[in-house]
Each structure stands twice: as structure tokens, then as C-alpha cells.
Amino acid sequence: MPLASSTELFERHGAAVYRRCRGMLGDEASARDAVQEVFLKAHVSRDSFRGDASPFTWLYSIATTHCLQQLRNAKLRASKLEALGREEAPPGASPDERLRAMSLLEGFALDVQEIVYLRHVDGLDLEEVARATRLSTKTVSRKLHEFAERSRTLAAKDEVRP
Amino acid sequence: MSACPHDFTLERHLAGELPVESDESKHVTTCPLCSERLDRMRADGAAYMASPAADGVRRELASVSRRKSAPSWQMVAWSVAAPLAAAAAWLALARTRTPDASDLTSKGAATVQLMVGHEGAIVPWSGASLAKGDRLQLSWTSSVPRYVAVIGREDSGATERWFPPDAHAARLEAGTRAFGDSLRFDPPFHGTVYVLVGDAPFDTAPLEAAIRDHREPVFPGRTSILAIPQAP
């Protein structure tokens, strides 16, 4: 299926990308900047669209990874952690799990961060995460397992640190 | 299904992607709570799409669609530096890992340059450490199309794919252009940047894993390695 023009994609999915960015970044101005950057990123990456997912899913994934990159900013990150502690957790996620996952994300590759965020912060189940990331449930499961293992190792190191 | 679905499912519903016969779709169309959530989402979306910010995106996309070689506002800014960049020393893709390097060479050279945005000026990276607020941007020159991925590994061990957004190398057309995001790190990035270039598509996931684990990223292409030192 050929990909619509970037302007058409924006008209169809701009609202969804905006909601995703605002939900992740929590800040109106940052979300508006992020939408522009997501669509520009999609524009320059059009060649990487393989048609194995819908344009919406593709854009949603770009928006998620873009916002994760933005959340490297210390201020945005602190405010995100504060918001997670305040807001009600979605079904499938616990407040503690959300905070823990969010605070551990930084040391991981972006694709792992995306999976962990969708699973533990958004609370999606494995199948939904696989759909959102265009990966198999097996791969999603493996990456979540790796995340859990490495998180445990990091936590153990922290515990023995003087 | 009985529990209300996540926002992702509601977004799929709004995008017309939920199969009508699915349990999720049946739930969403009959649940009063979901109906309220959908109304709020529609209202938020409509307010944004009618805002000056959305108009700005429309203008930007129309502009970059007309000007394919300079595809973003960030890249427009970077493209101003292109003559400077051309005059500066391009970083050759120095470390050849392909078993058939001569074939790659015969198809034309490819170079990648790291540019740094510092206090309003955009200059080729000098090899020095980065300062707070600096932005990084990659610029590409090749006489033939190639597949490219860029992975950054911080000295702390954190590894991240900078380009492309998907875990599959992106095809870059021949010519000179900025690509990927303009990246800002807080604190400034120090570590190693791996630029992976191949003649054919390749998956980046195993290469990211190799880089994260301090192994050589082995693939049928070439790897250029740039080490950005920590500020003293």
C-alpha cells in the first residue's frame, strides 16, 4: 500500500500523534513541538515505511520513540516521573511498576525503551505491544525478559555499591 | 471483553483500524465510559488541528515536500552550513569491514560528517568534547543510494539508535543532505558514534546489541566510528 503524502498523513493522524505526544510529555508546548518533529521525521524516513503496518501504527511508533528521546531531558523526565506518581495507572499497569520502568529506561536501547514503555507504563498486553511495534509477540517477550534481567542486575549492583 | 481498553486501542478505533467484528470494537461502540473518552479525544484532537501550531506543521510539511533535498526545518538550518561543511574535512568512512570493499568503492564513496550546533553557529565537529546545549546532526554525501543506520553508545553504556526510527537501515539517496534528528543531550553526549553503511537493507537490532555488549557490529557493509570525549 503506497504511503499517503506527508500533508495527508498529518490531516489523518495529526490529532492522534498530538494526543500521544501530550500524553507522554505531559506538557502542551513540548507536545506541539514534538508533533512537528514527528511528522518531519516521518517525512524524511518515508523510505523506511515497509507497508507491513498501517501508517497510523508507523506514526504512533515514531511518536513514541521521539518522545522517549525527548524524555532524556532531565526536566521533562522529572516532571514525567512526578506525573506518573500522581495519575491513575491504566488497566494492566500498577503505579509502582510504571515508576520503576520509567526510572530504569534510560540505560536501554530505544527499541527496548519503546517496548517497556508500552508494556509497563501504557499497560498494553503483549499482543498490543507487538502490534504497536510491528514485532512478533515472541520478540517482545524476549526483549521484556532481557529488560527485566538487566534491571535486576543493575539493582543488585546498586545494592552492593558502598 | 469487559474491561475498557487502553488509549492505543481507542486511537486505533478513531483511525478506523479496529475490525468491526472484534470484541474490542463491540466494547468501544457500546460502552458509555469509552464513548466519553472518545469524545474527549476527538475534542482535544480537533482543538489541536485547528490551532496555529497545526497550521505551522502544515506549512512546514508543504515546504519540505516541495523541497525534497532539505526535508525539515532543522535540516534547512543545517543546510546553511553545507558550504562550510564541504570546505571542511569530511570524515571518511574509515574502517572497512566488508569482504568486498573494492566493490563498494567502485560504486562511489560515501562520507558522513558530524555537525555541531553551538550557540547559534553550526560547525563541523572538531573532535572536541561537547558543551551543554550543543546539538548534533549528521550530514551525508554519497554518489549512489545507500542504506544507513547510526547508533550512539554513551560511555555509561547506554546504547541508542539515532537513525532511523525503525530498526531497519534507511535508504538515503545520492547527494548531500542532513539526515536524522537534530539531537540534544542533557548532559552532553560523550561516547562513541557508529555509522553503519551498506549497499543493501539490513536490520539494526543485532548490531545495536553487539555495540551495547562491546562487540564488533558485523554486517555486510562498513562501519565508521567517531569517539566524542567527555568534557574535562
Side-chain angles (χ1 to χ4, degrees), chain B residues 148-218:
Chain B
V148 179
V150 181
I151 296 166
R153 187 185 195 286
E154 294 191 59
D155 289 340
S156 65
T159 303
E160 186 176 307
R161 183 177 61 256
W162 292 1
F163 178 84
D166 282 337
H168 302 275
R171 181 182 158 100
L172 292 185
E173 298 303 325
T176 296
R177 56 182 286 196
F179 67 98
D181 275 346
S182 168
L183 299 162
R184 184 173 56 202
F185 296 85
D186 180 19
F189 178 92
H190 60 90
T192 310
V193 184
Y194 296 79
V195 183
L196 310 155
V197 181
D199 281 342
F202 59 91
D203 284 342
T204 63
L207 306 176
E208 289 172 50
I211 288 167
R212 185 171 55 248
D213 299 341
H214 283 291
R215 287 181 285 115
E216 182 181 354
V218 179

Side-chain angles (χ1 to χ4, degrees), chain B residues 84-162:
Chain B
L84 280 176
W90 287 85
L91 287 167
L93 289 170
R95 295 175 59 164
T96 301
R97 301 274 165 76
T98 173
D100 194 2
S102 59
D103 183 45
L104 269 176
T105 306
S106 70
K107 287 179 182 172
T111 54
V112 170
Q113 187 174 42
L114 192 61
M115 305 291 289
V116 179
H118 178 71
E119 294 179 351
I122 301 153
V123 293
W125 175 58
S126 65
S129 58
L130 301 176
K132 191 172 168 59
D134 281 357
R135 279 183 171 273
L136 289 176
Q137 175 72 56
L138 290 141
S139 185
W140 160 259
T141 294
S142 176
S143 55
V144 294
R146 289 260 166 74
Y147 290 84
V148 179
V150 181
I151 296 166
R153 187 185 195 286
E154 294 191 59
D155 289 340
S156 65
T159 303
E160 186 176 307
R161 183 177 61 256
W162 292 1

Side-chain angles (χ1 to χ4, degrees), chain A residues 10-11 16 19 22 35-36 40-41 44-45 50 54 56 58 60 69 72 91 109 122-123 128 131 134, chain B residues 6 8-9 11-12 14 17 41 44-45 48-49 58 71 73 154 159-160 165-166 168 171 181 185:
Chain A
F10 178 70
E11 294 307 328
R19 288 189 291 266
R22 198 188 53 183
V35 175
Q36 173 151 327
L40 290 170
K41 188 185 271 195
V44 298
S45 307
R50 291 170 295 147
S54 70
F56 161 75
W58 180 64
Y60 196 85
Q69 283 177 318
R72 294 175 67 120
D122 287 335
E128 289 169 319
R131 185 178 291 118
R134 294 153 293 149
Chain B
H6 299 93
F8 177 63
T9 304
E11 291 290 5
R12 288 183 65 221
L14 289 175
E17 286 198 358
M41 289 166 75
D44 287 350
Y48 168 74
M49 293 304 281
R58 288 185 184 99
W73 66 269
E154 294 191 59
T159 303
E160 186 176 307
D166 282 337
H168 302 275
R171 181 182 158 100
D181 275 346
F185 296 85

